[in-house]
Amino acid sequence: MKVDRSVSSSAERILAAADKLFYRQGIRAVGVDAVAAEAGVSKRTLYNYYPSKDDLIAAYLTARFRHLEPSDAPAREQILGNFDRLERMFADGSFRGCPYVNAVTELGDPKHAAAGIALQFKEQRRVWFRVLLERLQARDPDALATQLQILVEGALASALVRGDPALARSARAAAEVLLDAAGARRPVRSVRPTRRAR
Amino acid sequence: MKVDRSVSSSAERILAAADKLFYRQGIRAVGVDAVAAEAGVSKRTLYNYYPSKDDLIAAYLTARFRHLEPSDAPAREQILGNFDRLERMFADGSFRGCPYVNAVTELGDPKHAAAGIALQFKEQRRVWFRVLLERLQARDPDALATQLQILVEGALASALVRGDPALARSARAAAEVLLDAAGARRPVRSVRPTRRAR
DNA sequence: TTGCAGGTAAACAGGTCGGTGTACCTATGA
DNA sequence: TCATAGGTACACCGACCTGTTTACCTGCAA
């Protein structure tokens, strides 16, 4: 298999191949041989960069880690925009569930590095919600953040078994009800008061 | 391994063994040899009852299928009781996620029988919610049923990566807010007004 | 030119997978 | 008494798994 070696390093290509195959077909369903072949790299080289499949799995999950940072956009928009992103993901056709939850499910072992990475990611998003909720001066931002996190997780799992993108809209509508009930109907101090909704 | 053959049929023991091992360790992580050994049955016999592992998987999921029927108890209690059951499951220690979602994740293939069974089960619970919501004369029972389903799914997934039973209470609180917002604050026409909560 | 780092291809080791083939055992009922 | 259904024990098959070894190739710098 011919691969343009100048475009990216071997390590990067291996990681890209692992991401594609692990997510699409499942971690346990894909062997290291397949990953090496997809990356256009010999198995020896793969094991040079990642000493074991478990290391590769951990690297795959870590690479998927996107550091969330609340932006300057209106908090409510940011929160609800999350669900719009979900809807786009569901409609994409290549959606196969949350990679972190999938890894935990597939590996089973709670002591596997993947379990810790998954927990870290989920907690990061929960905190991201909480910061935005504090900005909205919502009641009990911590509890509400957990509930929004549950809605996201539920939309992901539901869309996995029933591939309906509209599930994201259902979750979004529920989130709006929860936000309203927590007294976050409108931003208290919006960055730009004239900005219209969405 | 000595097994009391009079207690249950071979088929039942095989199914019980599959249930225990598949759920605890994962479908892909458990071989048919292990299931046969756990059931105290030869592999030949196992293949006599279940011609392939896929058949056994389908039987395992079907056997987990509990037919939900709305009872005469107050509808709101029934709905919220669902989340209390979740909390007990999470606290049990042997919780390993939703078996249907796990099967879909582990098998990957959307054409596998497991995918259909999972979908059937989820839809059944959604309808169960809807019937109860209609009884409560809630606004848009269909949409709200989907949202409650998402909450359940989200609690299951969240508890899988972060084993905190309190997540069920968070989901329950969110469900209460959604119910209230849909005008289902109290049962409008309870079946037997004097009947106490079961 | 030489030396060598870093890559390749391919075979191999030791094990597990789903599934089959074979030969033996045993309880039951005609 | 004997046939048979249904079970057991166990070796076996080919495929695939993670991970290692071997031997060779190639670009580049001293």
Side-chain angles (χ1 to χ4, degrees):
Chain A
M1 182 175 298
K2 210 59 190 159
V3 173
D4 187 351
R5 214 155 269 99
S6 67
V7 166
S8 55
S9 75
S10 291
E12 285 168 344
R13 271 180 297 121
I14 292 167
L15 211 51
D19 184 274
K20 175 176 165 186
L21 297 181
F22 282 167
Y23 183 68
R24 298 238 267 244
Q25 292 165 230
I27 291 172
R28 295 197 85 119
V30 171
V32 288
D33 305 73
V35 175
E38 173 74 26
V41 141
S42 76
K43 207 159 50 149
R44 200 71 194 82
T45 302
L46 187 152
Y47 272 99
N48 183 33
Y49 287 106
Y50 306 96
S52 76
K53 188 181 181 180
D54 281 338
D55 288 275
L56 183 56
I57 293 168
Y60 149 63
L61 291 178
T62 308
R64 280 235 163 196
F65 212 103
R66 301 269 177 279
H67 276 282
L68 302 173
E69 294 282 351
S71 75
D72 286 345
R76 191 184 170 102
E77 265 181 41
Q78 285 189 67
I79 290 173
L80 296 177
N82 219 291
F83 294 93
D84 298 332
R85 280 202 315 118
L86 283 187
E87 186 175 353
R88 259 172 275 134
M89 281 171 53
F90 297 168
D92 183 48
S94 65
F95 174 72
R96 268 258 315 157
C98 167
Y100 300 102
V101 174
N102 289 359
V104 170
T105 298
E106 289 200 82
L107 301 174
D109 179 14
K111 293 200 301 293
H112 194 288
I117 298 171
L119 185 55
Q120 238 181 299
F121 180 78
K122 303 295 182 192
E123 183 60 14
Q124 179 199 240
R125 194 169 50 191
R126 212 182 64 81
V127 170
W128 182 83
F129 275 134
R130 196 181 57 205
V131 169
L132 291 170
L133 290 169
E134 282 163 358
R135 224 183 259 179
L136 285 175
Q137 301 189 340
R139 269 190 295 277
D140 204 345
D142 197 73
L144 186 48
T146 299
Q147 293 176 339
L148 291 176
Q149 166 75 5
I150 288 174
L151 280 177
V152 169
E153 222 68 70
L156 287 164
S158 298
L160 178 59
V161 318
R162 178 174 148 228
D164 185 0
L167 286 162
R169 274 202 298 276
S170 298
R172 185 195 149 112
E176 289 187 277
V177 172
L178 294 181
L179 285 174
D180 290 349
R185 201 173 306 261
R186 61 182 57 87
V188 177
R189 290 182 312 146
S190 84
V191 180
R192 296 269 222 80
T194 58
R195 173 165 290 176
R196 277 185 304 128
R198 198 246 293 256
Chain B
M1 182 174 300
K2 209 59 189 160
V3 173
D4 187 351
R5 215 154 268 99
S6 67
V7 167
S8 54
S9 75
S10 291
E12 284 167 346
R13 272 180 296 120
I14 292 167
L15 211 50
D19 184 274
K20 175 176 164 186
L21 297 181
F22 282 167
Y23 183 68
R24 299 240 267 245
Q25 294 165 231
I27 292 173
R28 295 197 85 119
V30 171
V32 286
D33 304 74
V35 175
E38 173 74 27
V41 139
S42 74
K43 204 157 56 148
R44 209 78 189 86
T45 302
L46 187 151
Y47 272 98
N48 185 33
Y49 288 106
Y50 306 97
S52 75
K53 188 182 181 181
D54 281 339
D55 288 275
L56 182 57
I57 293 168
Y60 149 64
L61 291 178
T62 307
R64 281 235 162 195
F65 213 105
R66 301 269 176 279
H67 275 282
L68 301 173
E69 295 280 351
S71 76
D72 286 344
R76 191 186 169 101
E77 267 181 40
Q78 286 189 66
I79 290 172
L80 295 177
N82 219 291
F83 294 93
D84 297 333
R85 281 201 315 117
L86 283 187
E87 184 174 355
R88 260 172 275 133
M89 282 171 51
F90 298 168
D92 183 49
S94 66
F95 174 72
R96 267 259 315 158
C98 166
Y100 300 102
V101 174
N102 289 358
V104 171
T105 299
E106 289 199 83
L107 301 175
D109 180 14
K111 293 198 301 290
H112 195 289
I117 298 170
L119 185 55
Q120 238 181 299
F121 180 79
K122 302 298 180 189
E123 183 60 14
Q124 178 198 242
R125 194 168 51 191
R126 211 181 64 83
V127 169
W128 182 84
F129 275 136
R130 197 182 55 205
V131 168
L132 292 170
L133 290 169
E134 283 163 357
R135 223 183 259 180
L136 285 176
Q137 301 190 339
R139 266 190 297 279
D140 204 344
D142 196 74
L144 185 48
T146 300
Q147 292 176 339
L148 291 176
Q149 166 76 4
I150 288 173
L151 280 177
V152 169
E153 221 69 70
L156 286 164
S158 297
L160 177 60
V161 317
R162 181 175 146 224
D164 185 0
L167 285 163
R169 274 202 298 277
S170 297
R172 185 196 149 111
E176 288 187 277
V177 173
L178 293 182
L179 286 175
D180 290 348
R185 202 172 306 258
R186 60 182 57 87
V188 177
R189 289 182 314 147
S190 83
V191 179
R192 293 271 222 81
T194 58
R195 172 165 289 175
R196 275 186 307 129
R198 193 232 304 260

